[in-house]
Amino acid sequence: MDSIVRYRPDPAIRWLQQGASGMREKAARKGESVLKRAGERTLGKDLKQTASAILDVGRSAAADIAHLAAAATSYLLHDSDLEIQRPGTSRRIPYRDIRAIRHSGDDFVLILAQGSVKISPPGYVVSGPTKAPIGWERNGMEANYEILAEEIAARAELQIDQD
């Protein structure tokens, strides 16, 4: 019997989408100001504000893409293998093919018989100088970010190496 454990990014990643929405609104206000030519206007100021609005639109698009990619990513731990589902791709890795797991910064790298796979945080929560990786939802329950790698290591009967 195959009991599946599903890891998905914690719902906190929704803040990426909220941030993108705020950036779009800010860009729209800047663009509107340039079009209406409100206040004291010069060509230099208009160019600067237009460039800033374009950057905000680009940042909001990047935040939207990051949110969609994170939301569509999941790790399924089967009895004999790991299945990684990412946007547009799915890959199954037998635990016996995992030779080592390395922890480097916030990333975990699975060293395979052929190649490697990197598991990175789906996002971060930042408050002042503190930056913490967003964790997982493990079968519907909140889980710390490191738990996924620890469970893979246990199933592959390996220790996690620190870089």
Side-chain angles (χ1 to χ4, degrees):
M1 181 167 106
D2 193 25
S3 59
I4 300 173
V5 176
R6 178 184 300 270
Y7 282 86
R8 302 187 93 145
D10 189 271
I13 62 165
R14 71 183 177 281
W15 297 113
L16 290 171
Q17 192 173 29
Q18 291 291 327
S21 176
M23 285 185 259
R24 276 191 300 278
E25 290 170 10
K26 184 177 173 184
R29 282 193 305 272
K30 286 179 184 175
E32 199 173 291
S33 172
V34 171
L35 289 175
K36 289 183 178 179
R37 300 199 48 84
E40 185 181 326
R41 306 305 304 184
T42 64
L43 180 60
K45 186 174 184 179
D46 286 350
L47 288 173
K48 182 180 175 185
Q49 206 161 21
T50 301
S52 178
I54 290 169
L55 283 173
D56 286 343
V57 168
R59 287 184 189 122
S60 72
D64 276 335
I65 290 168
H67 174 261
L68 292 171
T73 299
S74 63
Y75 298 87
L76 286 81
L77 281 61
H78 299 271
D79 289 339
S80 61
D81 56 42
L82 162 68
E83 183 178 356
I84 302 171
Q85 296 178 337
R86 291 187 173 141
T89 183
S90 180
R91 180 176 181 186
R92 285 183 93 119
I93 303 165
Y95 296 122
R96 69 178 177 275
D97 287 353
I98 302 174
R99 302 292 184 242
I101 301 176
R102 294 204 180 104
H103 185 202
S104 179
D106 289 327
D107 297 330
F108 291 94
V109 180
L110 309 181
I111 308 301
L112 309 175
Q114 293 183 344
S116 64
V117 173
K118 182 166 65 169
I119 299 174
S120 297
Y124 291 90
V125 174
V126 179
S127 179
T130 305
K131 176 181 169 184
I134 291 176
W136 305 105
E137 189 177 86
R138 182 188 187 276
N139 285 356
M141 305 228 7
E142 187 176 309
N144 193 5
Y145 170 68
E146 291 84 10
I147 295 295
L148 171 60
E150 290 171 3
E151 190 166 352
I152 293 170
R155 289 171 182 247
E157 298 178 358
L158 296 168
Q159 295 294 318
I160 297 175
D161 302 324
Q162 301 292 324
D163 276 352

